[in-house]
């Protein structure tokens, strides 16, 4: 009788072990998990957004350590320089990044260029500024007859901050002093900004619609300032 009990208990234990083993094998080989692939071709320096990704299901067995399977690890990062991600491809860890020295240039739109505003050359309070804010430039020209001050150009979008050594200041770095504010401007407006820096005093102003105006840089062409600017050209 005791022998039969031992056999029965052994059989039950064996069955339990087999069931547990079978569960883990099934969970590893056949159980599906979500991963993300590119919904279209992603070129170098592309900012990856949610609509750039497509969720698919694959067996856990095929999830590899060299690609991301979590959407939060992908969105907000950029495709590396000299890399591209084909449509339907996994997002490999070696192909994307979020910390690189030329990140500011990836924020430029068509026909925009980067322009450096040196904090020691203009009146500006960099402590209150952040990336993607829009700035307005006021120019004051003094001569023997009068002082003319007016809005010259608006909507200069901030794309980066740099320290006195020219090193990019990371978003999480709140202690380093800003020496250069890098902005995106229409390439045709660069000569005007250069003239303004020479002709008079520059004050950088933040307006109430700094986060909402995405129309690109706008020149105040009706300003009286152009009377003096054009005289200098003549």
């Amino acid at each position: 009788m005791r022998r039969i009990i031992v056999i029965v208990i052994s059989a039950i234990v064996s069955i339990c072990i087999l069931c547990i083993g079978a569960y883990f094998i099934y969970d590893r080989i056949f159980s599906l998990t979500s991963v993300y692939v590119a919904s279209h071709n992603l070129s170098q320096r592309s900012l990856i957004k949610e609509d750039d990704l497509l969720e698919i299901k694959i067996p856990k067995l095929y999830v590899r350590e060299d690609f991301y399977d979590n959407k939060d690890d992908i969105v907000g990062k950029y495709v590396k320089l000299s890399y591209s991600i084909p449509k339907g491809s996994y997002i490999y860890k070696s192909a994307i990044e979020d910390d690189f020295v030329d990140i500011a240039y990836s924020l430029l739109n068509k026909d925009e260029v980067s322009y450096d505003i040196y904090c020691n050359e203009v009146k500006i309070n960099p402590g209150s500024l952040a990336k993607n804010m829009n700035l307005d430039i006021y120019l004051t020209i003094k001569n023997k007859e009068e002082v003319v001050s007016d809005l010259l150009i608006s909507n200069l979008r901030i794309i980066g901050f740099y320290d006195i050594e020219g090193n990019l200041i990371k978003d999480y770095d709140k202690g380093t002093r800003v020496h250069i504010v890098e902005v995106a401007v229409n390439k045709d407006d660069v000569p005007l900004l250069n003239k303004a820096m020479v002709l008079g005093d520059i004050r950088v102003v933040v307006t109430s619609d700094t986060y909402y105006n995405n129309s690109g840089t706008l020149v105040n062409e009706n300003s009286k300032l152009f009377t003096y600017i054009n005289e200098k050209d003549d």
Side-chain angles (χ1 to χ4, degrees):
M1 184 69 178
R2 182 179 298 177
R3 183 178 178 184
I4 295 175
I5 294 175
V6 171
I7 293 174
V8 170
I9 293 175
S10 298
I12 293 173
V13 171
S14 298
I15 292 172
C16 290
I17 293 175
L18 288 173
C19 289
I20 293 173
Y23 170 79
F24 281 108
I25 292 173
Y26 174 85
D27 183 66
R28 181 63 179 169
I29 296 179
F30 300 106
S31 180
L32 299 179
T33 187
S34 294
V35 298
Y36 294 86
V37 298
S39 62
H40 59 95
N41 294 333
L42 301 175
S43 58
Q44 61 181 359
R45 287 296 181 256
S46 296
L47 173 63
I48 302 176
K49 303 181 289 295
E50 286 196 31
D51 56 7
D52 295 321
L53 302 176
L54 180 65
E55 182 180 1
I56 64 171
K57 299 282 188 178
I58 64 172
K60 287 184 179 180
L61 177 67
Y62 297 115
V63 176
R64 295 169 46 177
E65 293 184 356
D66 59 344
F67 65 77
Y68 288 111
D69 59 344
N70 189 329
K71 181 173 64 176
D72 293 336
D73 293 330
I74 304 171
V75 173
K77 289 186 170 64
Y78 293 81
V79 181
K80 283 185 177 180
L81 193 64
S82 300
Y83 280 73
S84 63
I85 302 177
K87 179 180 179 180
S89 173
Y90 298 120
I91 311 299
Y92 289 89
K93 295 179 180 180
S94 60
I96 63 176
E97 60 186 346
D98 61 355
D99 186 10
F100 51 95
V101 295
D102 62 333
I103 188 171
Y105 304 124
S106 67
L107 303 177
L108 294 173
N109 297 322
K110 183 180 179 181
D111 295 327
E112 285 185 338
V113 297
S114 66
Y115 191 90
D116 293 339
I117 299 176
Y118 289 80
C119 296
N120 61 345
E121 295 180 354
V122 302
K123 294 180 176 65
I124 185 173
N125 178 14
S128 64
L129 303 179
K131 259 196 315 192
N132 287 321
M133 289 176 64
N134 290 315
L135 305 177
D136 292 352
I137 296 293
Y138 279 76
L139 171 63
T140 299
I141 297 177
K142 301 176 183 179
N143 59 29
K144 295 180 180 180
E145 299 178 355
E146 61 178 335
V147 176
V148 180
S149 183
D150 198 3
L151 172 67
L152 179 67
I153 185 169
S154 58
N155 299 338
L156 286 78
R157 180 167 45 85
I158 299 175
I159 57 176
F161 299 96
Y162 296 83
D163 62 21
I164 196 168
E165 301 295 333
N167 299 314
L168 179 67
I169 299 175
K170 305 299 193 304
D171 292 341
Y172 54 80
D173 184 354
K174 305 301 181 183
T176 302
R177 184 174 181 178
V178 176
H179 184 66
I180 300 171
V181 179
E182 188 173 25
V183 295
V185 301
N186 187 294
K187 62 183 179 181
D188 295 331
D189 297 331
V190 172
L192 178 61
L193 282 172
N194 289 339
K195 291 176 186 176
M197 295 293 178
V198 175
L199 291 176
D201 297 324
I202 297 293
R203 182 178 292 275
V204 179
V205 174
V206 178
T207 64
S208 59
D209 62 347
T210 182
Y211 295 108
Y212 309 106
N213 196 331
N214 298 315
S215 59
T217 50
L218 299 173
V219 175
N220 183 17
E221 296 179 350
N222 296 322
S223 173
K224 190 177 178 181
L225 290 167
F226 281 94
T227 301
Y228 296 90
I229 294 174
N230 292 334
E231 284 179 356
K232 295 295 182 180
D233 290 339
D234 295 336

